[in-house]
Amino acid sequence: MPRVSMPRLPSMPRVSMPRLPSMPRVSMPRLPSMPRVSMPRLPSMPRVSMPRLPSMPMGLSIPRLPSMPMGLCMPRLPRMPRVRMPSLPTMPRGATIISVSQTPQRLLQDLCSVLDHRTPAGVCGCCWALRPRYKRLVDNIFPEDPEDGLVKSNMEKLTFFALSAPEKLDRIAAYLSERLTRELNRHRYGYVCIAMEAMEQLLLACHSQSINLLVESFLSTLRLLLEADRPHLHILATSSFVKFANIEEDTASYHRSYDFFVSRFSEMCHSDHEDLETRNRIRVSGIRGLQGVVRKTVDDELQVNIWEPHHMEQIVPALLVNLQQHTQAGSVSPAEETEVCFRELLGRAAYGHVNSAITPVLMHLDSHSLWEGRSFAVQCFQIIMYSIQSQHSHLVIQQLLGHLDANSRSPASVRAGIVEVLSEAAVIEATGSVGPTVLEVFNTLLRQLRQSVDYQLTGYYDNAGKHKTSSTEEETLQDAVIQTIGSFANTLPVYQRSEVMLFIMGKIPVPGIYPALGSPNTGLEGSRMIQVMLLKSLLQVSERYESGNLLTALPSSFLEPLLSFTLMEDPDIRLLVLSILTSLVDRRHNAARLTCASVALHVSALELKEDPSSRQDVLFIRKHAQRLYRHVYLTCREESSGRGHYQALFTLLAVVSVELANEEVLVDLIRLVLALQDLALSNHECLSVFNRCGIHAICAALLHLLAQLGPPPSLQHHVTQVIEGRHSNASHLLPDELFSEKHSLPAGELKVDEELLFGQSKLCEALAGSSYSAHTERFNTAYTPQITEEDRLSKRKSIGDVISLQIDMHPEYCALQSPQVQQITFETLKSTIEDRGGDEEEELRKRRMEVVERFQTAPFEEIAARCGSRSSLLQAQLERVLDLVVGRPPSPPGPSALRSTPLHQMKFPDLCVY
């Protein structure tokens, strides 16, 4: 466009700009604090004179200003003092802009910058139409009175413009943020709420592809509101953030950071505002904000990792504080929101994030001493176990077990609280799995039992001896550990429970195998207490064990060491073993109906569950019945047995008779009853009057039960006759009288009349002519259990007696203490054979005939069982003879110590120990 020279206006001398009444002494050329808004550029119009502007937009004409509001006219605008153009030092007074081409553009820009922040009314209303459209749309949504709220019609126009031109979203958001900041600085909170509402509507209306243009300004605005000192602004910002968090985005933003929001929302959860209602509102807002952060970040791997420790250490304690407040304060608290947020957080935890979420919980409970109260700790982990994914629940158990080991030097109340939480967690985890390290769980709990026993006996729960503990606290811990072992065992399948029972049995100090298991501080008493505790743990597992056959429930590797404890002189140990045997044999849960020994029991009224024995049960009873009866017999010989022992013996034998009801078992039990009756009448046994009466009582109760399980009525008639005689003349021989609270015993030695005893001949006659007659020949042989070396080794008061037994077996001690054994020579054997009379030969012939008949008629299983028991007895006798006959290898010359150091007490160099 060529340069156009406009004619001068001679009638306009010294034209000056009008005064702006609301802007006194404002220098128009330079407004450094206002943004520069560029107006439509006139590209090549230098030296433009003012009279005529043909290309001026909007029909503005300098000579005539018909559209000038408020009566302003350009020709006469007096008194604009000292207004100078800064960049035109040589400009004449005629105010012509000829030599500098950029001055009008700069002036228009500065004027528009002023008008951008003014309302359209007033002096500068003539230039309001020159502002960008998005700014005019934004300004139009604000009413004159903030109480009127957002102008909805104008908001719809703004939304339509934003959707039509999404590239303007960043400018709209920036201007909204600028407007909100200005209103916030002026404390005009009504307009602040209107601006936030407009920004929320834009967020919800915009498509996910273009939402990133709004987010940065939106988050910066939220930071500004959260940094303010007004609680209602915090609540407003949190509500807006929650709405933003619920928006699903298709494209991730790599540069966003939510660290400020995590710390600020966590701080709001700890609010201590003086007004209770306001405090609760702030805390609820903080909890919802944290929930929004979790929703926004946890499912997007490209976002910030919310599971990092520094984030979890802020989020989890903030939630637990409010959950704890609910437990202490009552219903008026943000506990419901807290629990919902906590459950959502845990439910979104993947396999690698579980430990990050559980560790702050453990730290919070430790730092606030919340294990001792137990109720809150249990509540927390109930929420955790029910919220977390079931396949990850074993990780929580492992975290608790590790924390229990870490607190092994803590007070007993803390350890008991952790164990109780473990027990509750195990019950909830029944639908899942304990994990790959099943035995490690029980190993940790058993280790805690041993440590508790040591602390109880020493009185201190640390090695330095500074922190005292009481027996009551340690016993409470021990009961909790035992209960937890049972809870864990209940979650396992059957095959794993049998492995757990074998594992626990391997930890129990068995006499002769683990002669010194207690610690140096506790000694033998500690070993005895460990035996009791581990047997109680084994009882907890066995009570929840259910198996289809006894061969699986009681394998030889488990039954043999268990039966050896029935010969211990500690009455508590014997009673626990009897209870364990009863719980394992009782597969149909009949023991609850047979706990009390009584002669008034009626099988029909008890509703016992009787099923035919399986083949595996028959094999078990033929293989292990004699061993079981032998230990029952030897248990009755113990002087320390009380009422509980005799009740447990009756329950065990009664359950065996019901579970394995057949002719052979019933006959063997009758033989055992007759042997026990003879034991009670024997003068060779050092039994008290109560022990003898107790044996007679369980014999009467057991025979009364056996007579109702299938034998002919004649047997029941004989048993009833004897019981009635005892009712009349010797009630102390019946369990109902003897085991009552008020029982009377005869003075002096116990004497029992013949008619008050169960006769062997009458029992045989009663069984004759029935299906039991095939087994009555066994009554001809008295039941005399053999005592093996295992029994002699087991029958010790404590483990220390095993060491003394090893000393007694030393050859030099044997030479000093034992009498000389007569030497057996060939001549002695020959004279013995020649002196044998005809009666002995006849007896030998009968025995041979019985053996031949038995091998011809008896089933193979019975023959194999008899040969097996005889071979084991023969092997034991042979080993005993060899120990006596075979001498020790010659020792080197020189003095030898009479008492050598046992192998387990020898000190080896570190390099030799594996």
Side-chain angles (χ1 to χ4, degrees):
M1 184 174 181
R3 296 181 179 179
V4 178
S5 177
M6 301 299 295
R8 292 177 177 269
L9 297 177
S11 61
M12 294 179 62
R14 302 184 65 178
V15 177
S16 60
M17 298 299 293
R19 178 178 295 180
L20 299 178
S22 61
M23 297 178 61
R25 300 179 64 88
V26 176
S27 178
M28 297 302 293
R30 298 184 63 186
L31 295 175
S33 62
M34 306 304 287
R36 298 177 59 183
V37 179
S38 62
M39 296 299 291
R41 178 175 295 180
L42 301 176
S44 58
M45 291 181 64
R47 301 179 61 184
V48 178
S49 59
M50 297 302 293
R52 296 183 64 183
L53 295 174
S55 60
M56 203 73 164
M58 297 181 64
L60 294 179
S61 175
I62 297 302
R64 300 180 64 184
L65 299 174
S67 61
M68 194 68 119
M70 298 181 67
L72 297 178
C73 60
M74 293 299 296
R76 300 187 67 178
L77 295 173
R79 290 170 52 182
M80 185 172 179
R82 303 176 66 180
V83 176
R84 294 181 180 181
M85 306 302 290
S87 60
L88 301 174
T90 61
M91 179 177 285
R93 293 185 177 181
T96 58
I97 307 174
I98 297 174
S99 61
V100 181
S101 61
Q102 299 298 326
T103 302
Q105 181 179 354
R106 175 66 178 272
L107 179 60
L108 290 174
Q109 289 177 355
D110 293 337
L111 287 173
C112 292
S113 298
V114 176
L115 294 176
D116 281 344
H117 301 276
R118 308 291 295 181
T119 59
V123 178
C124 300
C126 60
C127 300
W128 181 78
L130 302 176
R131 307 178 66 222
R133 184 181 179 188
Y134 72 90
K135 289 190 177 183
R136 287 178 290 164
L137 292 173
V138 170
D139 289 334
N140 287 336
I141 66 174
F142 292 93
E144 294 183 2
D145 188 1
E147 295 182 359
D148 296 339
L150 184 67
V151 181
K152 295 183 179 180
S153 58
N154 294 335
M155 185 65 208
E156 292 176 358
K157 296 178 182 179
L158 177 62
T159 304
F160 179 77
F161 176 78
L163 294 177
S164 302
E167 66 277 1
K168 299 291 184 65
L169 279 174
D170 54 345
R171 301 181 185 179
I172 296 173
Y175 184 63
L176 266 175
S177 178
E178 178 186 346
R179 184 69 184 266
L180 185 145
T181 303
R182 184 168 67 248
E183 303 297 346
L184 181 64
N185 294 332
R186 296 177 180 177
H187 304 286
R188 300 168 67 177
Y189 301 118
Y191 289 116
V192 171
C193 296
I194 292 174
M196 283 304 306
E197 184 180 356
M199 197 170 290
E200 291 173 8
Q201 292 190 18
L202 287 176
L203 276 173
L204 296 175
C206 293
H207 299 290
S208 58
Q209 292 83 358
S210 57
I211 197 174
N212 284 330
L213 300 175
L214 282 171
V215 169
E216 292 304 321
S217 298
F218 175 75
L219 294 180
S220 62
T221 304
L222 293 183
R223 293 190 190 97
L224 189 64
L225 293 180
L226 290 173
E227 289 175 350
D229 57 351
R230 298 285 180 172
H232 69 278
L233 295 180
H234 300 168
I235 298 173
L236 176 64
T238 306
S239 177
S240 300
F241 183 85
V242 171
K243 294 178 182 178
F244 163 69
N246 293 329
I247 299 175
E248 295 183 1
E249 300 182 54
D250 294 338
T251 58
S253 179
Y254 307 101
H255 58 279
R256 290 186 201 164
S257 176
Y258 296 96
D259 295 350
F260 171 79
F261 295 100
V262 171
S263 60
R264 189 70 183 112
F265 291 148
S266 301
E267 183 180 351
M268 291 172 62
C269 292
H270 294 276
S271 174
D272 55 352
H273 197 276
E274 57 184 6
D275 183 43
L276 178 61
E277 184 178 357
T278 305
R279 179 170 66 245
N280 289 337
R281 290 178 57 197
I282 295 174
R283 291 193 174 192
V284 169
S285 298
I287 293 167
R288 291 176 179 173
L290 291 176
Q291 189 176 11
V293 173
V294 172
R295 289 178 181 176
K296 200 65 180 175
T297 59
V298 73
D299 292 332
D300 192 353
E301 296 181 357
L302 300 178
Q303 296 281 4
V304 62
N305 188 7
I306 200 67
W307 302 106
E308 292 181 357
H310 66 277
H311 287 152
M312 285 290 104
E313 290 174 1
Q314 296 180 25
I315 296 175
V316 175
L319 298 177
L320 294 180
V321 164
N322 292 277
L323 202 62
Q324 180 185 359
Q325 183 191 20
H326 170 67
T327 305
Q328 296 176 355
S331 59
V332 184
S333 67
E336 295 181 359
E337 293 288 341
T338 304
E339 185 172 346
V340 171
C341 181
F342 197 29
R343 287 181 183 276
E344 183 174 354
L345 174 67
L346 296 170
R348 296 173 180 267
Y351 180 83
H353 302 148
V354 175
N355 292 340
S356 301
I358 302 301
T359 302
V361 177
L362 301 175
M363 295 172 59
H364 180 81
L365 295 176
D366 285 341
S367 59
H368 293 81
S369 302
L370 297 175
W371 293 111
E372 299 179 6
R374 302 181 188 177
S375 59
F376 178 71
V378 171
Q379 179 189 2
C380 286
F381 278 91
Q382 282 178 346
I383 295 174
I384 292 172
M385 296 302 296
Y386 280 120
S387 304
I388 206 168
Q389 302 179 30
S390 58
Q391 66 268 24
H392 302 156
S393 56
H394 66 276
L395 298 176
V396 182
I397 303 297
Q398 292 179 1
Q399 283 278 90
L400 285 171
L401 290 172
H403 197 67
L404 181 60
D405 281 340
N407 285 271
S408 59
R409 303 294 181 186
S410 300
S413 57
V414 175
R415 288 176 279 138
I418 301 175
V419 170
E420 185 174 347
V421 170
L422 268 171
S423 178
E424 294 293 334
V427 173
I428 298 173
E429 198 201 13
T431 56
S433 62
V434 177
T437 57
V438 177
L439 297 182
E440 184 62 28
V441 174
F442 294 92
N443 189 29
T444 302
L445 295 174
L446 295 179
R447 183 166 59 248
Q448 291 297 322
L449 268 182
R450 296 183 183 220
Q451 290 180 354
S452 178
V453 169
D454 294 343
Y455 297 159
Q456 181 179 357
L457 294 177
T458 57
Y460 298 93
Y461 60 84
D462 59 341
N463 293 330
K466 297 180 180 179
H467 302 88
K468 292 185 178 181
T469 184
S470 62
S471 299
T472 305
E473 294 178 349
E474 296 297 337
E475 289 174 359
T476 304
L477 170 64
Q478 294 161 10
D479 294 339
V481 172
I482 293 171
Q483 186 68 28
T484 304
I485 290 175
S487 300
F488 271 105
N490 197 26
T491 64
L492 300 176
V494 175
Y495 72 92
Q496 285 187 337
R497 295 184 197 181
S498 60
E499 294 178 0
V500 169
M501 289 193 296
L502 287 173
F503 179 76
I504 297 176
M505 178 59 68
K507 296 291 184 179
I508 301 176
V510 180
I513 301 178
Y514 304 108
L517 191 61
S519 65
N521 298 329
T522 58
L524 300 177
E525 178 63 19
S527 299
R528 189 198 69 81
M529 292 182 64
I530 291 174
Q531 281 182 330
V532 174
M533 295 301 164
L534 295 182
L535 286 174
K536 287 182 179 179
S537 305
L538 188 59
L539 178 61
Q540 286 286 330
V541 180
S542 63
E543 286 178 347
R544 295 168 172 83
Y545 182 79
E546 295 181 0
S547 176
N549 59 81
L550 293 178
L551 280 177
T552 305
L554 291 168
S556 300
S557 57
F558 177 77
L559 182 61
E560 292 180 2
L562 181 63
L563 288 176
S564 65
F565 286 102
T566 59
L567 305 178
M568 298 291 290
E569 293 194 0
D570 192 328
D572 296 335
I573 294 177
R574 294 201 311 272
L575 185 59
L576 288 171
V577 173
L578 293 175
S579 301
I580 293 171
L581 286 171
T582 303
S583 62
L584 292 175
V585 176
D586 182 30
R587 296 168 300 166
R588 300 178 181 90
H589 308 289
N590 292 319
R593 304 177 182 90
L594 300 171
T595 52
C596 296
S598 175
V599 293
L601 294 176
H602 294 283
V603 176
S604 58
L606 293 176
E607 298 180 358
L608 299 177
K609 299 178 182 178
E610 299 181 40
D611 295 330
S613 301
S614 61
R615 182 175 178 273
Q616 291 83 358
D617 295 340
V618 174
L619 290 177
F620 170 80
I621 202 64
R622 288 180 177 177
K623 182 178 181 181
H624 300 292
Q626 297 305 318
R627 178 186 294 271
L628 177 63
Y629 300 153
R630 177 165 59 89
H631 283 81
V632 170
Y633 180 87
L634 296 176
T635 302
C636 293
R637 297 173 57 182
E638 298 294 335
E639 303 177 16
S640 58
S641 298
R643 181 176 62 179
H645 296 81
Y646 294 118
Q647 295 276 16
L649 282 170
F650 168 76
T651 304
L652 174 61
L653 295 176
V655 169
V656 170
S657 62
V658 173
E659 292 285 337
L660 306 169
N662 57 51
E663 292 83 355
E664 184 178 358
V665 172
L666 190 140
V667 170
D668 287 340
L669 288 174
I670 294 177
R671 290 181 62 213
L672 177 62
V673 167
L674 294 176
L676 292 176
Q677 183 176 260
D678 295 339
L679 174 65
L681 297 173
S682 175
N683 295 325
H684 299 286
E685 300 293 337
C686 299
L687 296 175
S688 64
V689 176
F690 177 80
N691 297 136
R692 296 179 187 273
C693 292
I695 295 175
H696 282 296
I698 63 171
C699 290
L702 184 60
L703 273 180
H704 177 71
L705 179 64
L706 293 176
Q708 303 179 58
L709 295 178
S714 55
L715 178 64
Q716 186 175 1
H717 176 71
H718 172 66
V719 173
T720 305
Q721 185 179 2
V722 174
I723 290 175
E724 290 177 354
R726 292 186 179 184
H727 268 300
S728 303
N729 302 322
S731 60
H732 55 272
L733 300 180
L734 296 176
D736 304 84
E737 174 66 24
L738 182 65
F739 299 148
S740 62
E741 295 295 335
K742 298 179 181 180
H743 62 273
S744 59
L745 297 176
E749 295 183 0
L750 179 65
K751 295 181 180 180
V752 183
D753 297 336
E754 188 69 24
E755 62 271 9
L756 300 179
L757 298 174
F758 300 99
Q760 177 180 347
S761 58
K762 293 183 179 181
L763 293 176
C764 292
E765 293 175 1
L767 296 176
S770 63
S771 59
Y772 298 88
S773 58
H775 305 280
T776 54
E777 62 180 7
R778 299 184 184 181
F779 289 105
N780 298 327
T781 305
Y783 182 83
T784 54
Q786 299 293 329
I787 301 178
T788 63
E789 289 297 328
E790 176 192 356
D791 302 332
R792 291 191 180 93
L793 190 63
S794 299
K795 190 179 183 305
R796 297 291 160 181
K797 295 181 180 179
S798 64
I799 300 176
D801 292 341
V802 179
I803 303 175
S804 63
L805 178 64
Q806 296 173 355
I807 297 174
D808 294 342
M809 293 180 64
H810 195 277
E812 298 183 7
Y813 276 91
C814 294
L816 295 176
Q817 298 178 3
S818 60
Q820 295 292 332
V821 181
Q822 181 181 0
Q823 298 293 331
I824 300 177
T825 61
F826 175 75
E827 296 295 335
T828 306
L829 294 175
K830 182 178 180 181
S831 60
T832 303
I833 295 173
E834 291 177 352
D835 293 342
R836 187 171 58 191
D839 296 337
E840 295 181 358
E841 292 181 359
E842 184 66 21
E843 182 180 356
L844 181 60
R845 186 181 65 81
K846 289 182 179 180
R847 291 179 59 186
R848 288 177 179 175
M849 291 298 296
E850 290 176 359
V851 172
V852 172
E853 184 180 1
R854 183 181 299 113
F855 273 83
Q856 290 177 351
T857 59
F860 175 76
E861 290 81 2
E862 181 180 353
I863 296 173
R866 288 181 177 274
C867 293
S869 60
R870 184 173 299 177
S871 62
S872 60
L873 180 61
L874 180 61
Q875 181 68 24
Q877 292 178 352
L878 180 60
E879 292 178 356
R880 182 182 179 187
V881 171
L882 290 176
D883 290 339
L884 294 175
V885 174
V886 179
R888 297 182 61 188
S891 58
S896 61
L898 296 180
R899 181 174 181 177
S900 61
T901 303
L903 185 63
H904 63 275
Q905 295 182 357
M906 296 179 63
K907 301 296 183 181
F908 295 94
D910 295 338
L911 296 177
C912 300
V913 179
Y914 174 70

